[in-house]
Amino acid sequence: MQEAPRGKKVVTPRSRIEDQLTPTTTAEGGSRTVGPRLLVWLKTNIPDLAEPITVSQLDGGQSNPTYRIQSPSGAYALRRKPLGKLLPSAHAIDREYRVMSALHGTGFPVPRPIVFCDDDEVIGSAFYVMEWIDGRHYWDGTLPQVSARERRAIYRAEVSTLAHLHMIDPETIGLSTYGKPGNYFSRQIDRWSKQYRASETRRIDPMERLIGWLPATVPPQERVSIVHGDYRLDNLIFSNNDTQVAAVLDWELSTLGDPLADFTYFLSHWVIPPDGRSGLAGLDLEALGIPEIEEMVALYAEQTQRRSLSDLNWYFAYNLYRIACIGQGVIGRVRDGTAAHPLAAEIESRIEPLARTAWSFAERAGA
């Protein structure tokens, strides 16, 4: 498939995107009518779109803000880059569009990408439109809304969907050049360490130790697959009728690499204390109906036809370090005035505990 189209880059004032996505005329239900420039673009590029058209911003989407576009002819999702100073290689919505376009034809559960816009003059940043997927969306890893039986089925569906992704051959769907296939962990550690330094607001000793230890102890890479990069519960939509995954969202960090990065990132929730959103450590999983980590490992190994996975301590150290770097990135954007995260103080308070826990896994791995 072709790359997302290239358009001219124009630095656009913040007021322009506000004019196009959140103008002053409020429609019923908290949505707002779209501005004239975006309206013309939408009607030109989505010919069956009927007026009136309204837009509302969704919860989440702090990295790449996401909006629901509603019209009498149906609903769509619009996802754009944030405005302001951005870290290198971050917010890569062109890559999201490319990988979803390739995966959609395979039957893998992703929304159908409709059109990509790289002309900053439309709303002030690049964006794309995709189909709207109706379904159930969960934020809390304990899944309080469903029964114990459904919890187990949902977690097993998460693993099966990830295994499905990792068994797709990138070359057969036009993604052989989607990333550098080898040395995945080394490149990721280098990337996250640089982004951590760019966002750093104070010295955290365990982070300093991890920055030195992780690149010197990278395990060998055995396979190459499409890697989602942020595979977790709140980036999935589940079917309204059963416990199957209807769509995998947020492909901003996707690339080619070691599939164990995705899988052990998913598993890291079993070693993080619960915080109302993620983390299962210390909970009575049997009572909740949530599978033990061993069941998840066995299911993934079976569905990806790989040998049993045993020593995961290095991978947990890496993933918790990476989560801490992502959190520090949010704090950096707040510092730089490119994000106004309502939970910034809470996120900042988690970074050092995450770093300490990551270092404890490093010690178990021989540090």
Side-chain angles (χ1 to χ4, degrees), residues 74-90:
Y76 304 85
L78 183 153
R79 190 160 160 89
R80 67 164 173 87
K81 279 191 174 186
L83 299 177
K85 177 184 176 183
L86 304 178
L87 292 172
S89 76

Side-chain angles (χ1 to χ4, degrees), residues 27-281:
E28 183 180 354
S31 298
R32 297 177 182 270
T33 55
V34 300
R37 188 177 294 104
L38 178 58
L39 177 61
V40 169
W41 189 92
L42 289 171
K43 292 182 67 178
T44 300
N45 289 280
I46 310 176
D48 59 346
L49 198 64
E51 294 186 68
I53 302 169
T54 59
V55 61
S56 54
Q57 186 167 0
L58 306 182
D59 291 337
Q62 284 293 328
S63 182
N64 288 327
T66 306
Y67 302 80
R68 178 184 172 110
I69 302 290
Q70 184 66 55
S71 82
S73 54
Y76 304 85
L78 183 153
R79 190 160 160 89
R80 67 164 173 87
K81 279 191 174 186
L83 299 177
K85 177 184 176 183
L86 304 178
L87 292 172
S89 76
H91 314 284
I93 61 168
D94 55 333
R95 292 179 60 80
E96 287 190 348
Y97 189 84
R98 180 184 176 189
V99 72
M100 288 195 300
S101 297
L103 288 170
H104 186 261
T106 71
F108 185 81
V110 292
R112 177 176 64 90
I114 298 173
V115 61
F116 182 91
C117 179
D118 201 23
D119 183 354
D120 291 352
E121 288 193 315
V122 178
I123 63 171
S125 66
F127 68 94
Y128 66 87
V129 178
M130 60 184 170
E131 71 171 322
W132 180 266
I133 302 292
D134 282 319
R136 296 185 287 177
H137 190 199
Y138 303 112
W139 292 92
D140 187 338
T142 63
L143 298 169
Q145 309 96 319
V146 304
S147 67
R149 177 176 294 182
E150 285 181 301
R151 288 185 195 116
R152 183 170 185 267
I154 285 170
Y155 271 98
R156 289 181 65 88
E158 284 188 82
V159 171
S160 295
T161 301
L162 187 60
H164 179 186
L165 175 67
H166 292 166
M167 293 299 285
I168 295 172
D169 181 0
E171 186 169 355
T172 64
I173 61 171
L175 292 179
S176 61
T177 62
Y178 191 61
K180 298 176 182 178
N183 302 316
Y184 177 77
F185 282 112
S186 294
R187 289 183 288 105
Q188 287 292 300
I189 293 164
D190 181 65
R191 172 188 180 181
W192 289 110
S193 296
K194 288 177 179 176
Q195 294 202 6
Y196 175 78
R197 291 298 190 206
S199 302
E200 190 175 13
T201 51
R202 64 187 179 93
R203 179 183 173 88
I204 299 174
D205 286 340
M207 292 295 283
E208 300 300 322
R209 293 196 292 270
L210 288 160
I211 287 171
W213 179 79
L214 283 168
T217 56
V218 175
Q221 179 174 331
E222 297 180 3
R223 299 188 182 189
V224 174
S225 75
I226 302 164
V227 174
H228 179 273
D230 196 14
Y231 191 82
R232 61 189 190 193
L233 182 69
D234 58 304
N235 280 334
L236 307 178
I237 296 176
F238 290 83
S239 168
N240 282 319
N241 303 316
D242 55 39
T243 56
Q244 297 306 301
V245 175
V248 181
L249 308 175
D250 196 354
W251 292 84
E252 172 191 348
L253 298 176
S254 61
T255 188
L256 301 185
D258 193 326
L260 284 184
D262 264 351
F263 182 54
T264 56
Y265 174 70
F266 169 76
L267 290 182
S268 66
H269 294 88
W270 272 259
V271 301
I272 297 174
D275 58 9
R277 180 170 175 177
S278 62
L280 302 171

